[in-house]
């Protein structure tokens, strides 16, 4: 029997809002990141996983911290180590790697589901490259769509993002998404697609074309910084980067002041205050103000 819901039921249901693990760019579902060979799309995928695992911004956008799983199926652990060293990555426990995985429909879904059970805060799974987990050798709209839809349903069920790294064709096209290798069933089954196109081969300048069901289409112009081995937004080039190391202290001070105010309000309501000395509170507030002012002067 076909199960349906009325418009009234749908409109009266309070759904949990989608969680963007990369603000305005990546949420729960299936995504494809495509690019030409050696265009450094794997470096971008590694940076995404590392940034989510540490909770730091990537591509100029905030992230939600959680566990990342990178299936680097064309690499070995020595190469992974080399890349982590080049990116100056910290030895963190919620960034996981695997160099071998089962095929779609042959155990991969169960492997991801088991990993999710062991790591409840799993946010993203990157499969690099998609072809390594495909069961069907031939590509047609029907086979592409049917094969990838199972990963999409898995992502929905587990509330995670699954990103597939894929190649583009050598032919040029005014629409970069037409360059994604295979049939349109690949992009059709995905919730979003990203195509990394270099301005000139080996130039280190590229545009990340972004299209998806849950965010506005975008074109992100980037530059590959060989000092940190990361793609960075072009808008950040030539500008001073300030590391705001005092933010944690500001937050700590603000929380302390908030607790003091709550205690004062509680005692006042209980008529247990005869006189209040606000000078210590004012001194703490002055310290916070001075710290904020110092940070603001640094970024002007």
């Amino acid at each position: 029997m076909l199960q349906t819901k009325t418009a009234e039921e749908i409109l009266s249901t309070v759904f949990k809002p989608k969680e963007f693990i990369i603000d305005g760019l990546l949420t729960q579902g299936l995504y494809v990141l495509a690019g030409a060979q050696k265009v450094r799309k794997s470096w971008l995928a590694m940076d995404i996983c590392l940034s989510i695992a540490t909770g730091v911004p990537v591509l100029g956008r905030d992230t939600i911290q959680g566990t990342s799983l990178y299936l680097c199926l064309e690499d070995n652990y020595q190469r992974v180590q080399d890349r982590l060293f080049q990116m100056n990555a910290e030895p963190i426990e919620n960034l996981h790697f695997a160099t071998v995985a089962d095929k779609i429909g042959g155990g991969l879904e169960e492997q991801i589901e088991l990993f999710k059970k062991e790591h409840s805060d799993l946010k993203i799974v990157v499969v690099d490259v998609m072809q390594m987990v495909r069961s069907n050798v031939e590509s047609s709209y029907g086979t592409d769509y049917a094969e990838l839809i199972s990963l999409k349903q898995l992502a929905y069920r587990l509330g995670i993002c699954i990103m597939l790294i894929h190649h583009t064709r050598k032919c040029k096209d005014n629409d970069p998404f037409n360059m994604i290798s295979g049939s349109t069933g690949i992009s059709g089954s995905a919730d979003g697609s990203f195509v990394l196109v270099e301005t000139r081969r080996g130039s280190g300048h590229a545009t990340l074309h972004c299209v998806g069901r849950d965010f506005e289409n975008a074109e992100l112009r980037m530059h590959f910084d060989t000092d940190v081995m990361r793609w960075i937004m072009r808008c950040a080039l030539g500008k001073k980067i300030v590391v705001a190391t005092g933010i944690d202290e500001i937050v700590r001070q603000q929380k302390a002041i908030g607790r003091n105010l709550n205690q004062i309000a509680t005692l006042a309501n209980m008529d247990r205050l005869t006189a209040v000395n606000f000078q210590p509170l004012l001194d703490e507030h002055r310290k916070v103000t001075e710290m904020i002012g110092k940070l603001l002067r640094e970024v002007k």
Side-chain angles (χ1 to χ4, degrees):
M1 179 182 295
L2 187 64
Q3 296 183 357
T4 67
K5 284 189 176 183
T6 66
E8 181 182 3
E9 290 175 317
I10 294 174
L11 290 172
S12 61
T13 301
V14 179
F15 294 100
K16 182 180 178 181
K18 284 192 175 253
E19 178 185 68
F20 277 91
I21 56 175
I22 299 180
D23 187 37
L25 204 62
L26 212 60
T27 183
Q28 295 84 14
L30 180 68
Y31 294 82
V32 174
L33 170 59
Q37 292 184 353
K38 312 303 180 186
V39 79
R40 293 171 170 156
K41 54 186 177 294
S42 292
W43 287 100
L44 176 57
M46 178 82 84
D47 190 22
I48 288 173
C49 286
L50 184 61
S51 298
I52 291 172
T54 54
V56 301
V58 63
L59 299 178
R61 298 166 183 257
D62 291 334
T63 63
I64 293 181
Q65 187 173 12
T67 293
S68 299
L69 172 61
Y70 196 122
L71 306 182
C72 41
L73 306 179
E74 290 186 319
D75 295 319
N76 53 45
Y77 287 120
Q78 183 177 2
R79 184 176 294 170
V80 173
Q81 182 189 65
D82 290 342
R83 288 184 175 179
L84 289 172
F85 277 135
Q86 290 181 72
M87 298 177 76
N88 297 317
E90 296 291 333
I92 53 178
E93 295 185 352
N94 61 340
L95 174 55
H96 299 257
F97 298 90
T99 58
V100 178
D102 290 335
K103 304 285 188 182
I104 299 173
L108 177 63
E109 295 91 329
E110 289 76 14
Q111 288 178 327
I112 294 176
E113 193 157 8
L114 179 59
F115 187 86
K116 168 68 174 179
K117 289 180 180 179
E118 296 172 347
H119 304 84
S120 59
D121 67 335
L122 178 64
K123 299 295 183 184
I124 186 171
V125 176
V126 170
V127 181
D128 188 0
V129 294
M130 181 181 75
Q131 196 62 35
M132 294 291 289
V133 297
R134 297 206 61 182
S135 299
N136 293 312
V137 178
E138 296 183 0
S139 177
S140 67
Y141 184 92
T143 56
D144 289 344
Y145 193 94
E147 197 167 36
L148 297 187
I149 200 68
S150 64
L151 289 183
K152 180 178 182 176
Q153 293 170 345
L154 176 67
Y156 285 171
R157 187 167 71 252
L158 300 182
I160 63 173
C161 168
I162 297 179
M163 175 178 284
L164 307 175
I165 309 302
H166 192 39
H167 296 298
T168 53
R169 290 188 286 264
K170 292 182 179 180
C171 62
K172 297 292 183 180
D173 196 291
N174 291 330
D175 185 347
F177 299 99
N178 290 336
M179 297 166 56
I180 297 176
S181 182
S183 76
T184 54
I186 293 176
S187 56
S189 62
D191 293 290
S193 298
F194 306 94
V195 179
L196 184 61
V197 180
E198 223 171 0
T199 305
R200 179 174 49 81
R201 188 71 170 174
S203 66
H205 296 277
T207 298
L208 183 65
H209 301 269
C210 315
V211 63
R213 294 189 173 98
D214 298 301
F215 57 85
E216 296 290 335
N217 297 354
E219 294 183 358
L220 308 181
R221 288 169 173 78
M222 306 185 300
H223 169 75
F224 191 79
D225 189 335
T226 54
D227 290 333
V228 293
M229 300 304 288
R230 286 176 167 87
W231 286 102
I232 62 174
M233 300 295 293
R234 292 283 299 275
C235 60
L237 295 178
K239 295 183 179 179
K240 181 181 179 182
I241 298 176
V242 177
V243 179
T245 56
I247 291 295
D248 290 341
E249 177 64 17
I250 290 177
V251 173
R252 191 186 69 80
Q253 294 283 3
Q254 287 178 321
K255 288 181 178 179
I257 292 174
R259 286 193 296 269
N260 289 339
L261 288 173
N262 286 335
Q263 291 174 354
I264 291 172
T266 300
L267 291 173
N269 290 332
M270 297 172 63
D271 294 330
R272 294 178 58 181
L273 288 179
T274 54
V276 178
N277 180 12
F278 280 102
Q279 193 57 50
L281 185 60
L282 292 174
D283 291 340
E284 292 299 319
H285 185 270
R286 177 179 52 79
K287 291 179 183 178
V288 174
T289 302
E290 289 176 354
M291 291 177 67
I292 294 175
K294 182 178 180 181
L295 288 174
L296 289 176
R297 286 191 295 273
E298 285 291 322
V299 298
K300 283 183 177 179

